Amino acid sequence: MHNKIKYTTNIGTDVNDAATHLRNGETVAIPTETVYGLAANALNEEAVLKIYEVKQRPQFNPLIIHVDSFESALKWVVNVPTEARLLVQKFWPGALTLLLDKKDIIPDLVTAGHSKVAVRVPDHPLTLELLKQLDFPLAAPSANPSGYVSPTTAAHVYVGLKGKIPYILDGGESAIGLESTIVGWDKEGKAIIYRLGGICKEDIEKVIGHEVSIATSITEDPSTPGMLKSHYATVTPLHAGGIADLLKKFPDKKCILINYHQYQPNYPKELQYILTPQNDLHEAAKNLFKIMREADAKHAEIILTEYAPKEGIGLAINDRIKRAKWEWKKEI
Ligand code: TXA
Ligand code: MG
């Protein structure tokens, strides 16, 4: 279904305005520390349907619900494992999403029919204030058209969704810049990371006291969170790896380079970006989506991207770069 309704999309910092739209069953873009979300009342199926329509997102891809505290989460979920409680104490509010057994009041539309719902407490003052005013949780995927790079500023949201939503709550640039890490427990009670994100594997393992596996293959199985192949992709074909080698592979193409920390010698500087001038993984994470968007706007023939060091949040950065790769996009 295509959107028939057209809105004037306002950008502002008024939490009351945002709350009013949400109580009226509208969608509103909200800032979080990871990326901006496209929010609606998670208990109102018509409002949730609007999220899928606005994003053009397939309904088999479930949504995360956002709440203001663990106490609020307990209104919507049951059977919280002990390890989940430990993670909550350490990381909420924060970039950690937990897959927990849902209560019946959470519509199947939110979870795509799964018995578990994804839930997190975002760490952003405006959005926490907003959530405190509401007596319902907010379902919110990233506020980008399905398949495109996630937004980390209100302006990014505006470019992708203008005319389709009434309000963007502007909370500045997202501090982390990558989506949350998703953790769930299998039937045997074993913790599994389903999507790498803002909180790294090592930090999770420190809290629960043992190693955690990462759900491995990139599949199109919708029960595997965060794993649709064409996620996060630029329109310009993107290739990833060692930049010097890639340049040799594409000698005649107009390339835009996204380097990790250092410019390539012998290549025009105006065609290059650096993810982290300070050689810092967190800075690279914060800049990745913004720079992917800027590189895309240059309308080059291809974008060549260097991977981050394989440690800490670098694994999540590399996961997003891999998902943006052209070879995967064209298989769809
Ligand atoms: O940081 C974030 O997580 C951001 C901000 C807005 O909170 N949200 C976000 O949402 O990244 P989204 O929809 O772009 O990604 C959520 C991922 C999807 O890949 C989805 O498949 C998975 O979470 N997911 C959500 N609910 C699930 C469920 N009940 N079972 C399995 N996977 C689920
Ligand atoms: Mg997304």
Side-chain angles (χ1 to χ4, degrees):
M1 209 194 313
H2 283 271
N3 311 297
K4 284 167 227 120
I5 321 156
K6 286 280 172 215
Y7 296 92
T8 303
T9 303
N10 291 311
I11 305 182
T13 56
D14 192 330
V15 171
N16 296 326
D17 271 6
T20 302
H21 286 299
L22 290 163
R23 286 194 195 98
N24 290 338
E26 298 292 349
T27 58
V28 168
I30 56 168
T32 87
E33 82 283 25
T34 58
V35 299
Y36 274 68
L38 177 62
N41 177 352
L43 307 182
N44 176 340
E45 291 199 38
E46 271 178 46
V48 174
L49 262 181
K50 286 184 188 167
I51 295 178
Y52 287 102
E53 283 173 27
V54 166
K55 276 186 65 95
Q56 294 285 297
R57 176 177 174 117
Q59 283 180 23
F60 59 73
N61 194 4
L63 307 175
I64 297 174
I65 66 167
H66 298 69
V67 292
D68 68 350
S69 63
F70 181 54
E71 289 65 41
S72 298
L74 292 175
K75 289 194 237 164
W76 321 115
V77 301
V78 286
N79 306 330
V80 181
T82 309
E83 288 183 351
R85 288 174 189 269
L86 293 174
L87 291 173
V88 160
Q89 274 170 23
K90 176 76 183 174
F91 297 117
W92 277 6
L96 177 73
T97 294
L98 301 177
L99 288 174
L100 300 169
D101 290 343
K102 80 175 187 75
K103 290 189 182 171
D104 287 343
I105 187 171
I106 300 293
D108 285 340
L109 189 59
V110 169
T111 63
H114 294 280
S115 59
K116 290 183 195 271
V117 64
V119 56
R120 88 176 182 102
V121 178
D123 189 11
H124 191 290
L126 278 188
T127 292
L128 284 172
E129 200 186 320
L130 172 65
L131 287 164
K132 284 194 172 72
Q133 286 195 19
L134 303 172
D135 56 5
F136 48 81
L138 290 176
S142 51
N144 50 286
S146 194
Y148 196 63
V149 181
S150 297
T152 55
T153 65
H156 292 167
V157 178
Y158 189 78
V159 168
L161 302 183
K162 66 171 174 291
K164 297 183 174 171
I165 62 175
Y167 198 67
I168 300 171
L169 186 61
D170 187 351
E173 189 175 349
S174 297
I176 292 180
L178 291 183
E179 298 85 349
S180 59
T181 301
I182 302 180
V183 177
W185 286 263
D186 66 10
K187 287 200 183 74
E188 286 77 47
K190 209 166 72 73
I192 296 175
I193 294 177
Y194 288 101
R195 178 178 72 182
L196 291 165
I199 290 176
C200 70
K201 180 174 182 276
E202 295 89 319
D203 288 348
I204 288 169
E205 289 171 342
K206 258 185 238 152
V207 171
I208 63 181
H210 58 83
E211 238 190 88
V212 179
S213 58
I214 299 175
T216 44
S217 67
I218 301 291
T219 87
E220 287 186 66
D221 172 1
S223 68
T224 318
M227 293 207 165
L228 284 176
K229 280 184 182 172
S230 74
H231 258 120
Y232 317 104
T234 48
V235 174
T236 314
L238 184 148
H239 297 259
I243 299 230
D245 289 342
L246 287 170
L247 279 171
K248 278 185 214 140
K249 207 169 144 191
F250 301 106
D252 304 320
K253 298 264 188 204
K254 184 185 171 201
C255 302
I256 295 284
L257 313 185
I258 303 180
N259 303 286
Y260 181 70
H261 171 55
Q262 272 172 331
Y263 288 99
Q264 299 297 314
N266 315 320
Y267 201 80
K269 252 196 170 171
E270 64 276 13
L271 300 178
Q272 302 194 49
Y273 291 92
I274 297 285
L275 284 178
T276 167
Q278 298 181 65
N279 201 3
D280 172 79
L281 282 168
H282 290 279
E283 185 185 41
K286 184 174 175 179
N287 287 333
L288 177 70
F289 288 155
K290 180 175 64 184
I291 288 178
M292 275 168 62
R293 283 168 176 267
E294 285 176 24
D296 211 9
K298 300 248 180 189
H299 301 297
E301 286 176 277
I302 42 181
I303 299 171
L304 307 181
T305 306
E306 185 178 14
Y307 288 116
K310 294 189 196 69
E311 62 195 32
I313 200 174
L315 298 184
I317 294 172
N318 292 343
D319 170 84
R320 301 305 187 272
I321 293 172
K322 280 180 200 152
R323 287 171 202 227
K325 274 166 67 176
W326 178 244
E327 297 94 274
W328 292 6
K329 198 182 171 204
K330 72 181 180 197
E331 282 172 30
I332 295 286

